[in-house]
Every structure is written in C-alpha cells, then in structure tokens.
Amino acid sequence: MEHTRAKWGSNFGFLMAAIGSAVGLGNIWGFPYKMGANGGFAFLLLYLLLAAFVGFAVMLGELALGRKSGRGPVGTYALLSKRFKWVGWMGVLSGFFIMAFYTVLGGYCIKYMVLNIGDMFGAGFGSGAFADAGALFGAFITNPLEGVIYTVIFLAITMVIVMGGIKGGIENFSKIAMPALFVMLVITIIRSVTLPGAVEGLIFMFKPNFKPIQENFMQVLAVAGGQMFFSLSLGMGCMMTYGSYLSKKENLEKNSILIIVADTIVAILAGVAVLPAAFALGGEGAAMAGPSLLFVTLQNVFGAMGAIGPFFGFLFYLLVLIAAVTSAISLVEVATTFFLDRAELKGKKNASRKKYTLLVSIVMLALATIVAVDGLGSNGLPTPLGLIWIDFFDLWSEGVMMPLGAMLMALFIGYEYRVKKVENGVTMDGMLLEGEVTESGYRFRSRGFFDVCCKVIVPIAMAFILLVQIDGFFGLGIF
Ligand code: TRP
C-alpha cells in the first residue's frame, strides 16, 4: 500500500511550526529566572553546551526517525523495532500529561488578556476591585469554575487549529503567529528596558556568577538539562511527528540547528522583556519563576504603569498566549497523528482528523480539569504523592518520561537500529544515517559527532538527569 502522507507546504512553514512548538511557556517563565538564579552567563554557557551535545542529537534523531518512517512515535517504533514500541506509547502519554497543565496556564493568559481589556475601558471585569495583583490572582485561582472555563477556551482554540490539518491549520497559523510574536516581543522589550530601575533585572540575568555552579554543579546541570529539553520540545516524539510530515528533500541538520538557535534567542529575549520590568517595579526579590512572575509581579507592573499599562498588559499576555498555543498544537498533533497512523495501518478508509482531534481534546480536557480545579493547590484537592496536581503531571512527563524517552531513542539509534539495518541489508538513506549522502542529497556532515552523542553522551546525560530527579523527589541526598 502506498503511504501518502500530508506534507508541510514549505520548509519555512515547517520551521515556523517547529520553532512555534519549541517557543512556549518554558522560554518565557522558566528560562530567564533559571538563568539568573543559577549563574547568569555561566548558566547560559552550560545551557549552550548541553544544547549542542545533547539537544542537537536528539532533535536530529527525532526529525530523522520521523521522516524515515513517515509516522508518529508509536508508528515509528512499531515499524523499526518491536522492542522499543512502548517508548512511542510513553511519548504519546507524556503529551497528555504536559497538556494537563499547559492548557490551564494557557487559559490563565486568556483570563489576563480579558482583564487588561477591562482595565483599558475601566470595565467591571478589569482588575479594579482588587488591592493588588496578588489578591487578584488569589481570587482567580480559588474560583474553579472560572479556571475550567478559560481552560476550555484555550483548548478549543488549539483544537480548531489542529483540525485544520498540517498545512491548512498548523502551518498557516504558525506562519503568521510566529513573526507576530517576534514583533510583540520587541515592543515589550523596548518598554521594559526603558523603565526606571530596569538595569537591575538585566544584571540579575546576565551577571556571570560562578558560585551556584561551584556550590552545586550537579543541581545546576540538571536544571539546565531539564530546561533545555522541555524548551526544545524533545523526548516525547513531538519533533518526530513534525518530521514525519517533512519532505525528503529538506536538510535536517540545518533545520535542527535553526530550531535550537531560534528557541535559545527567544528565551534570552524573553528574559530581557520580563526581568527588567519585574525588577523596575518589584525591586529585589521580584524575580520569581512560574505563575507568580507572570501573573502577579508583571500584572503589578502593568497596574503601576498608568493609563498605558493595560495596553501593554494585553499585548504581553497575547504574546504569551500565542507562544503557548503554537506549543499546545504540537502536543495535540502528536496524539492526533497517533490515531491517524493507526487508522491507516488498519486500512480504514474514512479516518477523520477532525474526529480524532476532538477525541484527543476531550481526554486532555478531562485531565486539565483536575489541574484547573486544583488552582495551583489552593482548593484543597487530594495531593497525589504529596504533590499539587500541576507538579504531579509535570514530574511524570518532564521529570521522568521525557528524559527516559530521549535516552532510549539515543540508545536505539546508537545500537539496535544500526545493527539491524546491517543485518537486513536495507538502505536507510532517508534516515540520514546511511552513507555520506542523504536522500535529500545533503552530505551528512555531523555523522561522527551524531554517532558519539547517541551512543555515549545523550544516554549518560539523560541517566544523570533522571537520577537527580529521583534523588530530589525521594530526598536521597546523593547530589
Ligand atoms: N517547548 C514548549 C515550551 O517551551 C513546550 C512543549 C511543546 C513541549 N511541545 C512539547 C515540551 C513537547 C516537551 C515536549 O513551553
């Protein structure tokens, strides 16, 4: 049976979608703070080393495997190795877990856009009734119904885009959204760095400080590694899925590098947009990671800006929303592709993308509802493993399944896939692993490097990250 697969319209479109997947909440609320708290420039250096020696190989490996098989992670492993099939399943499951909290946070962005619109017109749904942004956020997260409603809106936007298909939905949206995001980011940066006292934020982020690295190198390494992974959308078959829709004539090495470079640049720019503002109005101690930075500190900044504040607030939360949507669609696509692949393998004639996307979205909504109702642990829900729900889903996906998935993929490429290929005498040129010249006609320049990464560096790095996670969680005190 001829395997005809949907395709990206152009390499640029693919890049916008892939960079869109990579650029997300991880860049905006994770990276700047982690960089500042863990050594500034010294952390950045470490991050870049990890991206080069671990991120690049995993990115290239995922794109290449996906393009080779023309399927998502489950289909890819099923096709290439029965033994590894469960790794594909784990990837799809991770996608559901990430979406369980990602959609809730995306919903928060919509809520804050609405709030700032309210403030523009002095309307009742603005922030007027609250003493400060802390009180406002507290009231919002302790209102489960509101949290669920905004989660539904976020998920509905995501779903509609994925229903539009690879080219008609995801690519077309990303081609407009990503450049727009960049423009909004630049405007936000200009406003942020011209606030009085802004320099402090830049110093916090960039000042080289080797103390954290000297004191607790292992911990810093694990933070940088985990951040790099999540930020690049690696370890669960997301890039494998996007790669499966890419034409055989595109250069995967170049694309891998472009995605990594673009994601890193946006992470740094996000820091320049966020931290100076946080420091300008919050002073020392204002910079915090996660929800409080985004929804308390920064909302306070907009509140203190005067008449123009709500405008910048709206622009900023729209920016974050776009970043989150282009990431969420890639997560929904992984699960949708899984069903489409399966339908095709079963020879189903009338498989409907729309139907599968709807099904996937409903399951994700069910999981996300728990997180939304939990309201960052403020509504007294039971705590699984002693964690609040957002952390529970994050621990299993980002903390366990993704490093494990990446490690096993590297081992698979480095050892099993090679061996099998030689045994069967098949040519795997589409995979970028055979010979010097790939099917796309590009020379495989990084072949030796890629090989060492898959065989040695990536497995060791991932095993290490897993160990630090387990150590931290059970309080073993090894590191
Ligand atoms: N990279 C996105 C961020 O930085 C999140 C994301 C999207 C993701 N798709 C993923 C993370 C796949 C891991 C795997 O926010």
Side-chain angles (χ1 to χ4, degrees):
M1 184 181 62
E2 183 59 26
H3 179 50
T4 52
R5 195 167 184 79
K7 286 269 177 295
W8 301 104
S10 66
N11 195 54
F12 174 76
F14 159 76
L15 278 174
M16 287 302 106
I19 294 170
S21 168
V23 169
L25 295 171
N27 299 59
I28 296 170
W29 81 4
F31 185 84
Y33 173 78
K34 288 179 190 169
M35 182 171 155
N38 290 287
F41 249 125
F43 178 87
L44 181 60
L45 233 54
L46 199 65
Y47 183 92
L48 293 176
L49 281 175
L50 280 164
F53 286 94
V54 181
F56 172 74
V58 179
M59 178 72 74
L60 182 57
E62 281 203 24
L63 291 176
L65 281 180
R67 187 170 75 172
K68 171 69 206 164
S69 71
R71 303 197 185 288
V74 174
T76 297
Y77 285 114
L79 204 70
L80 303 178
S81 165
K82 289 274 166 300
R83 281 207 298 167
F84 280 80
K85 197 171 167 187
W86 65 276
V87 182
W89 284 102
M90 195 171 65
V92 175
L93 185 66
S94 308
F96 281 94
F97 276 31
I98 297 173
M99 280 298 275
F101 61 90
Y102 217 84
T103 46
V104 177
L105 302 170
Y108 286 9
C109 294
I110 301 177
K111 158 78 184 178
Y112 273 69
M113 275 169 60
V114 173
L115 259 173
N116 279 282
I117 294 176
D119 284 345
M120 274 183 222
F121 303 105
F125 56 91
S127 61
F130 296 94
D132 59 18
L136 171 71
F137 190 56
F140 172 53
I141 59 177
T142 47
N143 183 343
L145 182 63
E146 216 185 343
V148 173
I149 290 173
Y150 282 106
T151 302
V152 170
I153 299 174
F154 179 84
L155 200 52
I157 296 171
T158 307
M159 185 181 78
V160 168
I161 297 170
V162 176
M163 282 180 170
I166 291 297
K167 185 165 176 286
I170 299 178
E171 177 172 354
N172 282 346
F173 181 76
S174 305
K175 274 198 307 203
I176 298 169
M178 293 313 288
L181 179 138
F182 192 76
V183 172
M184 286 188 272
L185 192 57
V186 171
I187 297 174
T188 313
I189 288 173
I190 295 172
R191 173 66 278 195
S192 179
V193 297
T194 51
L195 289 167
V199 184
E200 293 305 313
L202 295 177
I203 292 176
F204 169 78
M205 184 168 166
F206 288 106
K207 193 172 153 222
N209 170 14
F210 290 93
K211 227 167 123 206
I213 293 184
Q214 277 166 355
E215 276 172 4
N216 210 339
F217 179 73
M218 293 302 180
Q219 204 59 46
V220 174
L221 196 67
V223 171
Q227 171 67 24
M228 184 270 296
F229 241 67
F230 188 79
S231 188
L232 290 174
S233 302
L234 297 176
M236 48 79 66
C238 185
M239 289 299 169
M240 219 180 261
T241 302
Y242 273 16
S244 75
Y245 295 103
L246 190 63
S247 149
K248 292 255 156 80
K249 68 181 205 302
E250 305 302 345
N251 183 341
L252 295 184
E253 285 172 303
K254 194 186 80 190
N255 280 342
S256 299
I257 294 172
L258 284 175
I259 297 166
I260 294 172
V261 169
D263 182 67
T264 308
I265 290 175
V266 173
I268 295 170
L269 289 181
V272 178
V274 165
L275 290 182
F279 271 75
L281 282 112
E284 197 77 38
M288 290 174 280
S292 42
L293 170 67
L294 223 55
F295 300 115
V296 178
T297 311
L298 288 175
Q299 180 56 35
N300 268 331
V301 172
F302 302 126
M305 259 183 205
I308 196 79
F311 171 75
F312 278 106
F314 172 76
L315 192 74
F316 176 74
Y317 292 112
L318 176 62
L319 182 167
V320 185
L321 174 68
I322 289 177
V325 167
T326 51
S327 296
I329 51 183
S330 71
L331 291 161
V332 173
E333 183 57 43
V334 171
T336 302
T337 293
F338 161 73
F339 283 109
L340 284 169
D341 284 353
R342 202 180 63 151
E344 196 198 291
L345 285 173
K346 284 188 174 168
K348 256 198 200 161
K349 283 278 171 302
N350 51 0
S352 150
R353 162 177 281 269
K354 286 196 172 69
K355 201 180 75 194
Y356 293 133
T357 310
L358 179 67
L359 177 74
V360 166
S361 305
I362 290 173
V363 176
M364 287 175 173
L365 178 62
L367 295 176
T369 300
I370 307 174
V371 177
V373 170
D374 193 35
L376 306 179
S378 50
N379 295 323
L381 254 56
T383 48
L385 303 176
L387 297 167
I388 61 170
W389 280 93
I390 184 172
D391 291 345
F392 174 79
F393 283 119
D394 187 39
L395 174 78
W396 282 104
S397 52
E398 193 181 344
V400 179
M401 294 194 281
M402 284 160 50
L404 196 60
M407 178 165 87
L408 290 167
M409 185 192 76
L411 291 172
F412 169 67
I413 293 177
Y415 299 97
E416 162 146 336
Y417 185 62
R418 274 294 163 78
V419 177
K420 233 166 91 172
K421 188 181 61 186
V422 175
E423 273 172 9
N424 303 340
V426 279
T427 57
M428 290 286 187
D429 47 2
M431 168 60 199
L432 244 184
L433 291 177
E434 176 70 21
E436 289 288 2
V437 178
T438 68
E439 190 172 313
S440 44
Y442 294 101
R443 215 170 75 83
F444 187 10
R445 291 166 189 272
S446 62
R447 183 181 179 171
F449 175 68
F450 181 71
D451 216 28
V452 177
C453 289
C454 287
K455 284 199 166 86
V456 186
I457 303 177
V458 175
I460 292 179
M462 290 302 111
F464 168 76
I465 288 186
L466 273 169
L467 217 70
V468 176
Q469 296 284 2
I470 294 169
D471 176 48
F473 183 73
F474 291 105
L476 302 178
I478 304 173
F479 297 107

